[in-house]
Amino acid sequence: MIKSTKDLLKIKKKGLDNLYPDHPKIAVGMATCGLAAGARGVYDKLLQLAGKTKSKIEIGVTGCLGLCQAEPLVDVYIPQKGRVVYRSMTPKKAETLFKGVSKGEFPKGNALFYFTSDDFIQTGEKHKYPKKGIPTGIKSYEKYPFYSKQLKIALRNCGFIDPDSIEHYIARDGYFGIAKLLEEKRDPESIIEDVKKSGLRGRGGGGFPTGRKWASCRKAEGDHYIICNADEGDPGAYMDRSICEGDPHSIIEGMMIGAYAIGSKKGFIYVREEYPLAVKNLGIALEKAYKEGLLGKKIFGSDFEFDIQINRGAGAFVCGESTALMASLEGKIGEPRAKYIHTVEHGYKNQPSNLNNVETWNNVPTIMMRGADWFSSIGTPKSTGTKVFSLVGKVENSGLIEVPMGITLKEIVYDIGGGILSKKKFKSTQTGGPSGGCLPQDSLELSVDFDTLTKAGSMMGSGGLIVMDENTCMVDVARYFTNFLAEESCGRCIPCREGLFHMLNILNDICTGKGKMQHIDQLEELSKYIIDSSLCALGGSAPNPVASTLKYFRNEYIAHIKDKKCPGGVCKDLIEYSISDKCTGCTLCVKSCPVEGCITGVKDKLHSINKDICIKCGSCFEVCNFDAVVRK
Amino acid sequence: MTIDKKELLSTIKKITDKYKGIEGSLIHILQDIQTHYRYLPKDALIQVSGILHIPYSQIYAVATFYKMFSLKPKGKHLLRVCMGTACHVRGAPLLLDSLQRELKVKSGDTTEDGVFTLETVNCVGACSLAPIIRVDEDTHGRMKQARIPKVLKEYKK
């Protein structure tokens, strides 16, 4: 049982011994992205090898280091030598790696970068590594382009600790923030003042000042509830998944601080059912926190008591909206309600409820440890701190990044992301999920902060940043989001339910070559009605993808309508596949084609596609190694 | 698929007992039933209605509102194609078409042999490895149409 800072210090020592043991340690990144790339096989292989060998090598598990593109990532620590991260591991490559490590060496193959030190952001301390025997030709973490412009506050522990180990979290100064507040018997109001002063704004999309929300909730009378929104529904965004999977205790600690400041005894974590590993790791973390007496009654020997319960979502995007989420917590259908009655006064069970998202809660302990001034010195005056983005789509280095606010989109896409995949031409960045918008080339100079992105017609949103190249069709993207929202509309407000359906029909017509010029006016008119007459933010922002693509990529709509062409080469009815003279006659496409007799030719000679029977499945385009299949 | 009435009664009792006294536990209960039977049998919902004193209409509303619940029996393996934005721009729609051809079912339906139910999912959050398909709890990244038969084979055993 942990009852004081002194107890924490004891566990911290144990945790540090485990993080930096006196024998080599190989940790495999086992978050969902790692597992999707095959981390399980690598881990099992390493365990099997470690079981057979006489030299002591520990095999561990860790979260996601962010460079998901290069998963499975494996992190190797050798005492007196240092720490090196390896990319794209396979069970076979793991064998070579293990062989090297058992000789006390860092093998060269697949080495990605090395660490010069570990940053303990909670205290500002560093743990330095010796850097001996580092494979030649690899860069340090600080100089590695993907990481050099990043600053990790929210992702401070992801990929650095075993998420199931409370000792690791404490070793990196976890739970010291709440311990300090309780032991100093800090006035709750002064904590809220600190949060206000830090300038922290809601990371879930709205950007509402967190301190102000807490203050209103504290003031309201009734039984106060604390809610963590982990219903990360925006497609293309997975920051919260990574934090839940890789650093679940940081959410618990943040909620504890919020509960103490607001005066709440009960908290909920509402997490998506589509994230099974997040549910599992949060559950383990809660169990351990209870076991150590960090949750329940008399926390750190004080009168503060707090319980947390996990609720799994059931697959409804609209439940990410605060009022719908609270209805779902009550076991009802997730329909939003009007927001003039604030949830901080009348939320869950009509009681004062303070809801923040995962990343917001996770920032709180660091603010408590380092102070409001430290936090507000990072970022821009109105958008302080950092923001985690999932940099994905048609970008060379995709993954999770955390950057100080105020960085430009260009720095994100080109410096961190390494530019467009396969050297194609940039077309757009999409931020803000289905409520956001698509920004064109000249917006790359924009500063990434809450207000600038909103002004440009998109929004920060929860942090999905999808890069699109010349082979993306912007009308198809607008149709994609409209289809998404039409399916996810709860159906309560007719303009959202029916209006989106009509917009989708129009977009379908345009994408299939049946578009007319007046369709564009109709889309604009419908957008206006839906925005004006929907209760919640889902409807209120649903036309954004259409509005922003019409604003910046109108010529693509016109190409679909007038020329019956899809410039991105995506809309099936408006494109054709053919084979150019780059064809070597390797017959790979013939083997992949699901239609018999569609692709014909003699081996080692130019082949051709029978356009009359081609179903435009694109499998020939996908398999061709010579860029010989043309899609136009 | 027929369900033994006795088994159903005892299962529903066990599940509802687990949440006794907890307010707003309807969704938890339905989730447990869905996990147990891989769908929500009508008789189970009627039982829950009686035990919780919640009108059947309200239970039906919840059961049909959330995407995770199904009133139809599902196949042995749930195969979900991720339709997140990153997957979409990296070709998820073509992948779904291909699976529909391969399995001879439409999205939402179960194959004739009852092995696979094909569905779409909005985003599983492994966007860097797009496009993604998920079979039960296994996530397969960097999918290609050409890799589909190999993945399906793993689960046909």
Side-chain angles (χ1 to χ4, degrees), chain A residues 173-402:
Chain A
D173 307 298
Y175 289 117
F176 281 88
I178 179 71
K180 194 172 117 193
L181 299 179
L182 292 174
E183 286 180 344
E184 287 174 1
K185 297 199 170 61
R186 270 280 296 277
D187 171 23
E189 307 246 353
S190 77
I191 298 172
I192 297 182
E193 276 315 306
D194 275 357
V195 177
K196 276 188 188 166
K197 233 171 79 190
S198 75
L200 178 66
R201 292 169 69 171
R203 282 355 188 200
F208 191 82
T210 307
R212 258 173 63 200
K213 198 184 223 180
W214 289 18
S216 323
C217 189
R218 181 176 168 79
K219 246 195 327 208
E221 280 192 30
D223 297 331
H224 295 75
Y225 291 99
I226 296 286
I227 300 165
C228 171
N229 184 350
D231 193 47
E232 183 175 53
D234 279 4
Y238 63 100
M239 305 67 54
D240 296 350
R241 170 185 69 68
S242 185
I243 296 171
C244 292
E245 287 177 358
D247 191 15
H249 286 284
S250 67
I251 303 165
I252 299 175
E253 190 186 353
M255 289 174 77
M256 288 168 78
I257 295 168
Y260 176 68
I262 290 164
S264 162
K265 290 178 185 167
K266 173 90 190 173
F268 296 95
I269 302 176
Y270 188 93
V271 54
R272 280 181 91 203
E273 170 266 335
E274 291 88 338
Y275 289 172
L277 188 62
V279 176
K280 185 175 154 232
N281 288 2
L282 281 167
I284 294 171
L286 275 186
E287 201 181 296
K288 295 205 167 161
Y290 270 108
K291 213 174 134 209
E292 294 292 352
L294 295 170
L295 288 171
K297 290 195 170 44
K298 298 234 171 272
I299 298 170
F300 284 105
S302 71
D303 287 334
F304 173 55
E305 56 174 280
F306 187 51
D307 285 298
I308 297 180
Q309 177 188 323
I310 295 176
N311 282 57
R312 275 188 302 148
F317 173 72
V318 73
C319 286
E321 199 274 346
S322 59
T323 58
L325 188 149
M326 291 176 201
S328 181
L329 278 181
E330 292 172 18
K332 298 177 187 152
I333 58 170
E335 267 184 1
R337 63 162 167 78
K339 273 222 177 142
Y340 58 85
I341 317 160
H342 298 296
T343 50
V344 286
E345 288 156 6
H346 300 281
Y348 173 68
K349 291 207 279 190
N350 216 17
Q351 298 296 318
S353 307
N354 185 92
L355 175 141
N356 287 117
N357 98 318
V358 168
E359 197 185 331
T360 315
W361 287 121
N362 146 301
N363 265 299
V364 171
T366 315
I367 295 173
M368 292 299 123
M369 292 287 281
R370 297 295 295 271
D373 292 335
W374 173 81
F375 190 82
S376 63
S377 72
I378 301 160
T380 70
K382 282 189 172 169
S383 301
T384 57
T386 56
K387 178 77 193 83
V388 186
F389 287 97
S390 59
L391 177 62
V392 296
K394 304 282 188 72
V395 62
E396 201 59 57
N397 306 321
S398 64
L400 269 196
I401 60 162
E402 181 171 357

Side-chain angles (χ1 to χ4, degrees), chain A residues 461-481:
Chain A
S462 62
L465 203 164
I466 295 103
V467 179
M468 298 173 180
D469 68 354
E470 56 187 315
N471 286 354
T472 314
C473 167
M474 300 316 285
V475 186
D476 175 67
V477 168
R479 172 172 71 159
Y480 163 77
F481 282 117

Side-chain angles (χ1 to χ4, degrees), chain A residues 69 241 274 393 476 480, chain B residues 83 88 90 122 125 134 142:
Chain A
Q69 174 85 36
R241 170 185 69 68
E274 291 88 338
D476 175 67
Y480 163 77
Chain B
M83 286 286 153
H88 181 86
R90 286 200 187 183
N122 280 339
R134 185 175 267 175
R142 299 184 188 119

Side-chain angles (χ1 to χ4, degrees), chain A residues 488-553:
Chain A
E488 292 296 340
S489 169
C490 76
R492 181 167 180 176
C493 309
I494 295 161
C496 172
R497 184 182 73 207
E498 300 300 325
L500 284 174
F501 179 67
H502 276 286
M503 284 177 81
L504 179 61
N505 279 344
I506 293 173
L507 290 165
N508 276 334
D509 278 350
I510 297 177
C511 288
T512 49
K514 287 174 253 164
K516 301 187 182 96
M517 281 311 281
Q518 65 258 39
H519 277 154
I520 293 181
D521 302 329
Q522 284 170 7
L523 284 175
E524 279 169 340
E525 202 184 346
L526 277 165
S527 298
K528 196 172 154 288
Y529 292 136
I530 296 171
I531 292 170
D532 286 347
S533 45
S534 301
L535 258 182
C536 81
L538 189 150
S541 59
N544 279 356
V546 173
S548 65
T549 46
L550 271 174
K551 184 172 168 190
Y552 296 117
F553 302 96

Side-chain angles (χ1 to χ4, degrees), chain B residues 7-75:
Chain B
E7 190 272 341
L8 184 126
L9 289 178
S10 84
T11 302
I12 300 305
K13 189 170 175 320
K14 228 187 277 165
I15 291 173
T16 47
D17 279 354
K18 194 170 134 194
Y19 297 102
K20 217 169 201 169
I22 302 173
E23 265 181 87
S25 52
L26 177 61
I27 293 176
H28 293 280
I29 291 171
L30 297 185
Q31 282 172 332
D32 284 6
I33 297 174
Q34 171 83 38
T35 309
H36 185 86
Y37 291 109
R38 289 209 299 270
Y39 81 111
L40 301 176
K42 190 175 176 186
D43 287 343
L45 298 186
I46 293 169
Q47 285 302 320
V48 172
S49 165
I51 295 170
L52 298 187
H53 303 292
I54 296 175
Y56 180 69
S57 59
Q58 209 172 311
I59 292 178
Y60 185 79
V62 172
T64 50
F65 182 85
Y66 293 98
K67 220 176 168 180
M68 140 177 213
F69 300 130
S70 166
L71 301 178
K72 280 192 299 193
K74 287 195 183 179

